[in-house]
Amino acid sequence: MPPSVPSLPRRVARILRTSLFAQVACALVLGIAVGKLWPDVATDLQPLGDGFTRLIKTIISPLVFCVVVVGIAKAGDLKAFGRIGLKALIWFEVASTLALVIGLLAANIVQPGSGMNVDPSTLDTSAVDAKTGGGSLPSTTEFVVNALPTSFIGAFAENSLLQVLILACLVGAALLHLGHTRVPKVLPAVEQAQEIIFAIVGFVMRLAPIAVFGAMAVLIGNYGLGVIETYGKLIVLCYVAAALFITLLAVALRLVTGLSLWKFLRYIREEMLLALGTASTESVMPRVMQKLRKAGARDDAVGLVLPTGYSFNLDGASLYLSIGTLFIAQAVGVDLSLGQQITVILVLMLTSKGMAGIPGSAFLALSATASSLGAIPAGAVALLLGVDRIMDSMRVVTNLLGNCVAVFAVSRWEGALDLERARKVLDGETVALPDEEPDGRPKPAGSGPAGSAGSASPAGPAGSEAEAGLPVVVSAGSGSGSGSGSGFEPAKETAPEAG
């Protein structure tokens, strides 16, 4: 008797019940519909998106701390960690500068603001002050000083990623210096805390569709779809420039690692859709870190490169700022010379590095650029108020992909990328981490590969029994495959299992 085929409604219901991608996609469409049909109601849904973002932010700092500490301890080489940091900064600077140049070239060719003939005196600059909260971008000195923590707890309380990174590096270095024999319980405790945090991420992510629904409804309710018609030329230019930059990222990823960016996009499609819906890359950082680890990038590379990229590698923002600066100049009838456009690149190379976490940072960076040129009225920045929120999707996708590619590239550059695992994962195969069961659950304590950071001592799975000279139970299928599958052997140093 042939097996019965589920009806279409049942298949759809099963997909909606089990697929986060399908849930978020439906929430996105519903949010647009509610925002269009009932804009007054939609604007009251802001707490849905804000609440989800707050929950995610509470776990970002402890997660980054745990991943970096464990990564340094597992790598066992602080110099390698320093090389990863240096190579990441080099990659960030090259990528963000390329984004700025592409933006300027695109704006010069298309001229999105030409013919608008806007009188800057007619613009309401108070709206820009409201958007930025009267704040300002930090100077280079302030940025460096603010990255240094004044309190261990304060760095976590303020959710300052750079400060948390520095603390994690210090703790990881201290663990390497003291050695496992002097602090045998610290590293396993940090690893267990990391597993708890990932479990919390799983719980919070179940709320993602609700957050996307609320955020999208608020966007359409506040701005409507008419803004797309008014700024159509600028919007299309920004998205086309972003597509070009992402294509270059795909080429770079292929040349450096041999991996496909399109397969990676399919791999993180749920996180990408969530980032689009909430207009925030922070909302997906924990999940993306977990997926990059599963895709073969070493813990120390993921823990350092991805969070640092959130401050230093804002490729999407760089594209938008360079195009936006020329759009404003063209709209008010100012023709920028080649020298002035080079100044734009130099100024934005600095201001774009201090934007993360500052309200209205794009407008602050644009105002700083306009002031440095002396040719564009600062009030002209208000021209972009109506379109800035629409550009979030472009910035989010480009920033996120730029940082993920940076993790793969720097990991490959440093020899911290398992290419075989990466290919399998991106091809859709289920490959568990060394400290996980095949279904993704963490292994019981002491059952990981020998020499892993999660075991109680470098002697392997036996942990403290090996240190005490006690006999070690050998599970079935381990070792050289003698076939006994049980019994006792004298404690001895064991090599990690192949594969």
Side-chain angles (χ1 to χ4, degrees):
M1 182 177 180
S4 59
V5 179
S7 62
L8 180 60
R10 287 187 177 182
R11 292 202 300 270
V12 172
R14 185 171 68 249
I15 292 173
L16 288 176
R17 188 174 62 252
T18 59
S19 172
L20 179 63
F21 180 82
Q23 293 169 6
V24 172
C26 289
L28 197 69
V29 174
L30 287 175
I32 293 173
V34 170
K36 178 66 176 175
L37 297 175
W38 302 288
D40 294 336
V41 174
T43 54
D44 295 330
L45 300 177
Q46 184 76 39
L48 296 181
D50 290 349
F52 177 80
T53 304
R54 282 173 173 264
L55 288 174
I56 287 291
K57 283 184 175 181
T58 60
I59 54 183
I60 287 178
S61 291
L63 176 61
V64 169
F65 178 82
C66 292
V67 170
V68 172
V69 170
V70 172
I72 293 176
K74 282 186 174 181
D77 184 0
L78 198 58
K79 290 182 179 179
F81 193 74
R83 289 196 304 270
I84 289 174
L86 178 60
K87 291 172 181 177
L89 291 177
I90 293 173
W91 179 277
F92 293 159
E93 198 56 53
V94 172
S96 57
T97 303
L98 177 62
L100 289 171
V101 172
I102 289 175
L104 284 181
L105 290 175
N108 275 297
I109 294 171
V110 178
Q111 301 273 320
S114 62
M116 294 184 69
N117 300 318
V118 175
D119 182 0
S121 62
T122 62
L123 298 173
D124 182 14
T125 58
S126 62
V128 177
D129 295 333
K131 182 81 172 179
T132 60
S136 61
L137 292 176
S139 65
T140 303
T141 303
E142 291 172 335
F143 179 73
V144 173
V145 171
N146 290 338
L148 302 176
T150 57
S151 163
F152 200 102
I153 303 300
F156 290 89
E158 296 171 5
N159 219 20
S160 175
L161 277 185
L162 290 180
Q163 292 184 11
V164 171
L165 270 174
I166 290 175
L167 288 174
C169 292
L170 292 174
V171 172
L175 285 175
L176 286 179
H177 175 71
L178 293 174
H180 187 73
T181 55
R182 295 179 64 181
V183 282
K185 296 182 180 180
V186 174
L187 189 56
V190 175
E191 281 198 298
Q192 291 165 12
Q194 178 178 287
E195 294 300 334
I196 292 173
I197 294 168
F198 276 127
I200 295 173
V201 171
F203 299 151
V204 175
M205 288 300 292
R206 295 178 183 178
L207 304 175
I210 299 174
V212 169
F213 168 75
M216 190 53 59
V218 170
L219 170 62
I220 302 301
N222 281 336
Y223 298 98
L225 299 175
V227 68
I228 298 177
E229 299 176 6
T230 306
Y231 292 91
K233 194 174 181 180
L234 175 63
I235 294 171
V236 171
L237 175 61
C238 286
Y239 277 84
V240 169
L244 173 60
F245 182 78
I246 291 172
T247 302
L248 294 178
L249 284 179
V251 173
L253 182 64
R254 175 71 74 176
L255 291 175
V256 175
T257 67
L259 301 176
S260 168
L261 183 62
W262 318 121
K263 289 183 178 180
F264 179 73
L265 266 173
R266 183 181 63 189
Y267 174 57
I268 63 163
R269 61 186 181 277
E270 295 174 350
E271 291 75 22
M272 188 62 68
L273 197 58
L274 174 59
L276 282 171
T278 58
S280 168
T281 53
E282 283 187 340
S283 64
V284 297
M285 182 194 279
R287 286 263 299 202
V288 170
M289 290 180 74
Q290 193 174 23
K291 286 202 166 184
L292 287 169
R293 292 170 65 234
K294 287 189 175 183
R298 208 167 64 197
D299 283 10
D300 53 344
V302 174
L304 179 61
V305 178
L306 190 66
T308 307
Y310 272 54
S311 293
F312 286 91
N313 192 38
L314 304 174
D315 298 328
S318 297
L319 271 171
Y320 172 61
L321 291 174
S322 57
I323 293 175
T325 301
L326 261 67
F327 168 79
I328 293 169
Q330 294 162 4
V332 298
V334 175
D335 186 18
L336 296 180
S337 65
L338 178 61
Q340 288 174 316
Q341 293 192 34
I342 292 174
T343 302
V344 168
I345 292 178
L346 295 176
V347 171
L348 290 177
M349 283 174 64
L350 295 175
T351 56
S352 63
K353 299 296 184 292
M355 290 174 55
I358 299 177
S361 56
F363 292 96
L364 293 173
L366 287 168
S367 298
T369 306
S371 299
S372 66
L373 292 174
I376 305 174
V381 174
L383 276 171
L384 292 174
L385 279 171
V387 75
D388 182 71
R389 183 63 178 81
I390 303 296
M391 296 299 188
D392 274 343
S393 297
M394 179 274 291
R395 291 194 294 249
V396 162
V397 171
T398 311
N399 288 344
L400 183 57
L401 286 180
N403 286 321
C404 289
V405 169
V407 171
F408 280 124
V410 173
S411 298
R412 176 62 171 164
W413 192 358
E414 181 57 28
L417 178 64
D418 186 341
L419 276 177
E420 183 180 355
R421 168 185 285 271
R423 292 191 182 99
K424 287 181 179 179
V425 170
L426 298 188
D427 284 337
E429 298 183 32
T430 302
V431 183
L433 288 167
D435 54 354
E436 288 182 347
E437 301 286 359
D439 61 359
R441 292 181 295 107
K443 287 183 178 180
S447 63
S452 68
S455 57
S457 78
S464 57
E465 290 85 353
E467 275 186 334
L470 297 175
V472 181
V473 178
V474 181
S475 60
S478 65
S480 58
S482 59
S484 63
S486 61
F488 294 92
E489 289 184 358
K492 62 182 179 180
E493 191 96 17
T494 57
E497 296 179 5

